[in-house]
Amino acid sequence: MTLLVMPTYSCHLACAYCFESTIGWRMKVKLDYDLDRMMEAIARINRLQPHQEAVLHGGEPLLMPLRDLERLIAFIRNLGLSVSVQSSCSILSEEHIKLFKRYNVRVGCSADGPPELNVLRGFWPRGKPLEELNRRYREKVQRNIEILAEEKLLGGVLTIVHRANAGDVEKLRKLVGWINKLYELGSRYGRLNPMYAVTPWSKPYELSVDELYRAYVWMWENFFQDRPELDWSPYHDLVAVLLGQERRALCWFNGCGFYDAPVWTVGPKGEVLSCDRTLGAGMWLRARPLPKTQLLDRKIRAIALCQTELAGDRFCHLHKGGCPAEALGGDWRRPSRFWRLWSRLLEYFERRLKALAPWLKLASEVPDRLEYIEMVSRGCVWNPFTGRYDCPKGGRG
Ligand code: SF4
Ligand code: SF4
């Protein structure tokens, strides 16, 4: 379970595709958090559902003044949780670096490649990019990524995949060259998330499912497949679910119920929200926490989809319809707009795994897909060597 802590919904930037732009303030800073209530909410959630890590998120969490940022980080560390920060990495100061070192905080940077590809982030007020400001923003982000790496504080990198950084082979070459450079600097983790347009001006940069499929396969075949030392999503997630190891995979492939997402978010006033990705759909407060035995059932959406809209999809029980916050038609009951992409990539990696080890019984080959969803929701794990479920004591195998 991930605990997100959002000291502010605002951000000094206005990236072209920011999916949070509907809930926050872009290119305006509004800081009206209540630190005590935030800390109370964090402690309450952690009592109800113990977490190992809190991620400071936003908006831009580094907009919070240093003194309060330190109080918040120290409080979370005292609860026994590790802390990381997800930031644009464009306003990092020496004081931040000292603070992060003091509390062993890792920083994840959001960037879509080297400066020449990182063009949809930055200042895009109402779709009009501010070229000179953006040029300086891009250089600064790259410099800060390098500083964080030198200081051994760089966690991972969050990269959104779109036409401006993955629309042709030349761009893809630059993108993987940059990922390689990050590795040389000491960072082996990252995410490559497909972009969807939430603003009219980001629409031309959206790649179709076919284009995304070709881009992900190109990066795999020309780079990642020979780099086992790298741990970049979605590759390891797709292979994990095929091998029955879905707990190692992203929340997208673990079944998400929207009302009760596996992510808890604490807002600036201590409000407890569902995953930040769902906020754009207007669902602000989280379903009221219930005792463990009564937690909302996350498998329901996946089971319903595998019998209806995704009934013909051989992989529906593995991607489970994907993230509901990016659902088709904005209706969380429907599958993610990327379900065909995940399905095709699962088929691609299924072929590769079977070519290497034809005796494996992959989770794509289970006799009953609905039973699979039911079994994993009970804590059982598909064993690709025996072709059976391994269940915790008292379960059914
Ligand atoms: S840095 Fe993040 S929160 Fe800020 S505008 Fe860009 S995508 Fe949105
Ligand atoms: S809404 Fe999407 S991103 Fe959030 S927890 Fe669910 S699957 Fe994950």
Side-chain angles (χ1 to χ4, degrees):
M1 298 282 281
T2 306
L3 175 57
L4 295 184
V5 179
M6 297 174 84
T8 177
Y9 297 126
S10 61
C11 182
H12 59 298
L13 301 176
C15 299
Y17 51 70
C18 178
F19 72 84
E20 284 185 354
S21 52
T22 50
I23 55 158
W25 298 265
R26 294 296 169 263
M27 290 181 63
K28 276 188 204 140
V29 176
K30 184 172 173 188
L31 293 176
D32 61 351
Y33 52 83
D34 183 327
L35 200 47
D36 291 327
R37 289 176 67 185
M38 284 177 77
M39 294 192 294
E40 257 170 48
I42 293 166
R44 199 168 63 242
I45 291 170
N46 200 48
R47 274 196 304 276
L48 185 81
Q49 189 99 59
H51 284 70
Q52 290 176 335
E53 186 192 28
V55 183
L56 304 192
H57 215 277
E60 173 53 70
L62 299 191
L63 290 173
M64 190 178 217
L66 271 165
R67 215 178 51 177
D68 287 347
L69 192 59
E70 175 153 17
R71 261 188 80 200
L72 182 61
I73 291 173
F75 177 80
I76 301 172
R77 294 293 281 136
N78 275 338
L79 291 176
L81 279 69
S82 62
V83 179
S84 61
V85 172
Q86 185 63 40
S87 164
S88 67
C89 292
S90 57
I91 51 170
L92 195 72
S93 67
E94 277 182 29
E95 296 309 312
H96 284 121
I97 300 273
K98 285 185 200 151
L99 174 66
F100 298 152
K101 280 189 158 172
R102 224 166 22 250
Y103 292 92
N104 199 15
V105 173
R106 305 282 285 178
V107 185
C109 294
S110 303
D112 297 349
E116 67 271 28
L117 299 186
N118 191 22
V119 293
L120 298 192
R121 291 192 182 268
F123 302 91
W124 279 69
R126 286 175 291 283
K128 306 238 175 333
L130 306 180
E131 297 299 353
E132 181 50 26
L133 265 181
N134 282 342
R135 189 186 59 73
R136 280 190 268 151
Y137 148 81
R138 292 195 284 268
E139 283 166 8
K140 190 145 194 212
V141 169
Q142 184 60 29
R143 209 163 44 242
N144 284 343
I145 288 176
E146 290 168 16
I147 291 170
L148 285 164
E150 274 163 31
E151 301 286 351
K152 307 219 175 320
L153 292 169
L154 184 62
V157 174
L158 173 60
T159 296
I160 305 299
V161 177
H162 44 67
R163 199 170 300 287
N165 64 358
D168 58 48
V169 168
E170 195 191 332
K171 289 179 176 131
L172 287 167
R173 242 185 225 122
K174 284 186 186 162
L175 185 57
V176 296
W178 178 73
I179 291 171
N180 189 45
K181 185 174 173 195
L182 294 178
Y183 176 70
E184 287 167 2
L185 289 168
S187 175
R188 55 185 286 261
Y189 302 102
R191 279 173 73 157
L192 288 160
N193 290 0
M195 186 201 95
Y196 58 95
V198 292
T199 53
W201 47 89
S202 58
K203 192 76 187 157
Y205 297 96
E206 204 176 52
L207 293 171
S208 68
V209 165
D210 281 349
E211 289 170 317
L212 284 167
Y213 175 77
R214 284 198 293 274
Y216 280 106
V217 168
W218 189 95
M219 287 190 277
W220 174 258
E221 293 183 349
N222 292 280
F223 181 66
F224 287 106
Q225 71 172 355
D226 296 321
R227 305 300 302 273
E229 65 277 26
L230 296 177
D231 191 354
W232 275 69
S233 183
Y235 300 108
H236 60 256
D237 307 273
L238 295 163
V239 173
V241 291
L242 283 164
L243 294 173
Q245 297 290 312
E246 51 182 79
R247 279 184 221 153
R248 291 173 186 264
L250 274 175
C251 52
W252 297 348
F253 304 131
N254 267 284
C256 177
F258 194 86
Y259 288 111
D260 187 27
V263 174
W264 296 64
T265 305
V266 173
K269 299 280 189 191
E271 61 274 37
V272 179
L273 314 163
S274 194
C275 169
D276 69 322
R277 271 198 149 206
T278 66
L279 301 187
M283 181 65 64
W284 283 72
L285 288 185
R286 189 186 171 85
R288 192 167 162 267
L290 294 168
K292 254 193 181 149
T293 48
Q294 297 172 37
L295 282 175
L296 295 179
D297 199 336
R298 293 202 188 102
K299 68 177 182 291
I300 289 173
R301 177 171 168 266
I303 285 185
L305 285 173
C306 283
Q307 294 176 82
T308 53
E309 202 163 346
L310 302 181
D313 177 28
R314 212 159 63 72
F315 299 94
C316 73
H317 61 302
L318 299 184
H319 60 69
K320 299 177 189 62
C323 172
E326 57 196 26
L328 288 164
D331 180 347
W332 64 270
R333 295 167 300 181
R334 297 193 61 203
S336 154
R337 65 194 74 207
F338 299 117
W339 75 266
R340 277 197 182 79
L341 172 67
W342 306 135
S343 196
R344 287 180 66 186
L345 287 171
L346 283 164
E347 190 179 34
Y348 174 87
F349 284 108
E350 179 192 54
R351 278 203 308 277
R352 257 115 205 103
L353 287 168
K354 289 298 270 189
L356 287 168
W359 58 86
L360 283 179
K361 294 178 180 65
L362 299 177
S364 49
E365 302 171 291
V366 294
D368 185 333
R369 293 174 304 167
L370 297 184
E371 183 191 48
Y372 178 88
I373 299 169
E374 178 71 36
M375 295 297 269
V376 297
S377 77
R378 285 193 216 160
C380 302
V381 172
W382 177 257
N383 184 331
F385 294 101
T386 61
R388 289 171 60 84
Y389 293 97
D390 296 334
C391 293
K393 225 173 157 196
R396 181 157 68 86

